[in-house]
Amino acid sequence: MEALAQERKAEQNRILKERLLELKKERNAIILAHYYQRDEIQEVADFRGDSFLLAQKAAQTDADVIVFCGVHFMGESAKILAPNKTVIIPDERAGCPMADMVNVRGLQDLKKKHPNAKVVTYINSSAEIKAETDICCTSSNAVKVVQSLDTDEVIWVPDKNLGHYVSQFTDKKMIIWEGYCNTHDMLTVKDVVEMRAQYPNAQFIVHPECRPEVVEMGDFVGSTTGLIKYVRESDCKEFIVGTEDGTGYQMRVENPDKSFRFATKYLVCPNMKVNNLKKLVKCLETMSPEIYVPPQVADKARLSLERMLQVQ
Ligand code: 13P
Ligand code: SF4
């Protein structure tokens, strides 16, 4: 019975993939997929990547349509960087709870309290927050971005865990917002201790969105791309992975001889997983939902993203 169901699913996916190819050509579209997407989406993407790489790809593409498979703020960033393109997403319910933890009024109040501080905003934020920001960052360039600033004081929004991690690499005073990623924050010291006991030869690699006490346990700490690169270059054959489980797709594709165990079964972002192949095909068929950012917000937000893209 299970084999039959699998066969049926494979046949459905084959038909969907054929239709996707036709639609992509018809619309002159490019598919960008974050590493946390379901395997069936990563398989058909033109580019898989972390937030930084995908923002770069959106800014550079000459396609007419960008299909952004990730969460809403990623589609917004693509639209801000490529205002003349049509940006669509498979499901508008794919939000990011961390991005929703900071509000414009609160940030404005903080700016008033610290008039000499520069605002550094994690790309996991809304367009309105980016419009109130001096410079954005992603987890792969956060340290560099903070170090590049000519100020002693930084207002950091919204991720307290990443903010804590970055603060270890700078003398600047960091005023850190209390947001966090519901998924990464779920991983505990106990989970890691148990996994290490079960897999004593494995290295523990971890994303800085996890809690500070968990990050401290890492044999390696890095952004999604940083972790993928580390695994590729390491001689170790076994890893306990402390980030969202979609990252396993790229790790397995690149390293068929290595094994990956996710540090808890909770390292799954339900928002990222709202998208699937069927919805991806449908959004190209109907050209919706489409991302819209009011031009006056986009123009301000663009500066903070472009400044980030210029930091080497
Ligand atoms: P990165 O792609 O920057 O590692 O982002 C992690 C994340 O939580 C995206 O939602
Ligand atoms: Fe947001 Fe965390 Fe999901 Fe990334 S993994 S989209 S930060 S909730």
Side-chain angles (χ1 to χ4, degrees), residues 196 198-203 236-240:
R196 276 204 161 135
Q198 217 177 329
Y199 303 104
N201 298 323
Q203 285 192 353
C236 184
K237 295 282 182 212
E238 219 182 330
F239 298 89
I240 299 166

Side-chain angles (χ1 to χ4, degrees), residues 34-36 49-54 70-71 73-74 95-96 98 122-124 137-141 159 162 181 183-184 207-209 222-227 243-244 247 269 272:
H34 191 269
Y35 287 132
Y36 297 173
D50 67 349
S51 316
F52 184 70
L53 181 104
L54 297 179
V71 287
F73 74 79
M74 295 179 176
C96 169
M98 185 209 293
Y122 194 24
I123 198 165
N124 299 30
C137 72
T138 71
S139 54
S140 64
N141 60 17
D159 184 6
L162 183 60
C181 163
T183 301
H184 286 86
H207 195 286
E209 278 181 24
S223 66
T224 309
T225 298
L227 299 179
T243 192
E244 212 276 347
T247 314
C269 172
M272 286 279 182

Side-chain angles (χ1 to χ4, degrees), residues 131-306:
E132 291 287 330
T133 291
D134 291 297
I135 184 165
C136 284
C137 72
T138 71
S139 54
S140 64
N141 60 17
V143 172
K144 266 196 227 159
V145 164
V146 168
Q147 286 173 345
S148 76
L149 296 173
D150 58 353
T151 175
D152 295 333
E153 229 181 347
V154 168
I155 295 174
W156 171 274
V157 290
D159 184 6
K160 64 175 177 180
N161 291 341
L162 183 60
H164 177 273
Y165 178 72
V166 172
S167 71
Q168 296 171 310
F169 299 92
T170 178
D171 293 333
K172 298 184 197 304
K173 180 177 173 211
M174 287 184 61
I175 300 132
I176 298 177
W177 195 270
E178 284 289 310
Y180 58 91
C181 163
N182 300 41
T183 301
H184 286 86
D185 197 67
M186 201 92 88
L187 182 59
T188 64
V189 168
K190 184 169 170 275
D191 295 323
V192 180
V193 169
E194 283 173 9
M195 286 297 277
R196 276 204 161 135
Q198 217 177 329
Y199 303 104
N201 298 323
Q203 285 192 353
F204 172 54
I205 58 173
V206 61
H207 195 286
E209 278 181 24
C210 292
R211 299 177 189 187
E213 64 273 23
V214 171
V215 171
E216 245 173 55
M217 298 173 84
D219 294 302
F220 179 76
V221 184
S223 66
T224 309
T225 298
L227 299 179
I228 290 170
K229 182 167 181 278
Y230 180 78
V231 161
R232 185 189 308 137
E233 291 171 357
S234 169
D235 291 332
C236 184
K237 295 282 182 212
E238 219 182 330
F239 298 89
I240 299 166
V241 185
T243 192
E244 212 276 347
D245 88 328
T247 314
Y249 177 83
Q250 186 69 22
M251 290 178 175
R252 287 188 295 271
V253 166
E254 290 186 14
N255 311 278
D257 59 328
K258 299 183 182 176
S259 60
F260 305 99
R261 291 180 179 88
F262 282 78
T264 77
K265 62 178 180 191
Y266 302 113
L267 280 169
V268 179
C269 172
N271 313 285
M272 286 279 182
K273 297 322 195 229
V274 161
N275 299 328
N276 61 31
L277 186 57
K278 202 168 165 191
K279 291 180 193 174
L280 167 56
V281 173
K282 188 162 174 229
C283 83
L284 257 176
E285 221 146 28
T286 60
M287 291 298 285
S288 73
E290 185 178 346
I291 297 280
Y292 171 75
V293 184
Q296 64 279 21
V297 175
D299 289 347
K300 281 192 184 169
R302 188 171 307 115
L303 293 175
S304 64
L305 281 167
E306 284 176 349

Side-chain angles (χ1 to χ4, degrees), residues 19-170:
R19 182 70 186 127
L20 186 69
L21 284 179
E22 284 169 12
L23 284 164
K24 254 179 58 172
K25 217 166 155 194
E26 235 171 73
R27 310 281 196 210
N28 186 24
I30 185 177
I31 299 173
L32 305 181
H34 191 269
Y35 287 132
Y36 297 173
Q37 290 292 285
R38 290 174 190 268
D39 291 5
E40 64 187 30
I41 287 194
Q42 295 202 50
E43 273 169 20
V44 297
D46 293 299
F47 293 101
R48 298 190 282 270
D50 67 349
S51 316
F52 184 70
L53 181 104
L54 297 179
Q56 274 181 327
K57 294 292 174 200
Q60 291 160 357
T61 185
D62 49 18
D64 295 319
V65 176
I66 299 171
V67 189
F68 210 115
C69 303
V71 287
H72 195 264
F73 74 79
M74 295 179 176
E76 267 189 352
S77 300
K79 180 69 187 175
I80 292 165
L81 286 166
N84 299 324
K85 314 276 173 195
T86 302
V87 180
I88 52 175
I89 53 176
D91 190 323
E92 61 195 343
R93 290 169 307 162
C96 169
M98 185 209 293
D100 296 336
M101 287 180 195
V102 52
N103 58 72
V104 171
R105 175 64 77 83
L107 179 53
Q108 284 172 340
D109 287 348
L110 211 51
K111 283 165 73 170
K112 272 188 214 137
K113 259 198 225 159
H114 304 278
N116 298 323
K118 289 261 164 79
V119 179
V120 180
T121 295
Y122 194 24
I123 198 165
N124 299 30
S125 53
S126 68
E128 287 74 16
I129 292 293
K130 289 187 178 82
E132 291 287 330
T133 291
D134 291 297
I135 184 165
C136 284
C137 72
T138 71
S139 54
S140 64
N141 60 17
V143 172
K144 266 196 227 159
V145 164
V146 168
Q147 286 173 345
S148 76
L149 296 173
D150 58 353
T151 175
D152 295 333
E153 229 181 347
V154 168
I155 295 174
W156 171 274
V157 290
D159 184 6
K160 64 175 177 180
N161 291 341
L162 183 60
H164 177 273
Y165 178 72
V166 172
S167 71
Q168 296 171 310
F169 299 92
T170 178

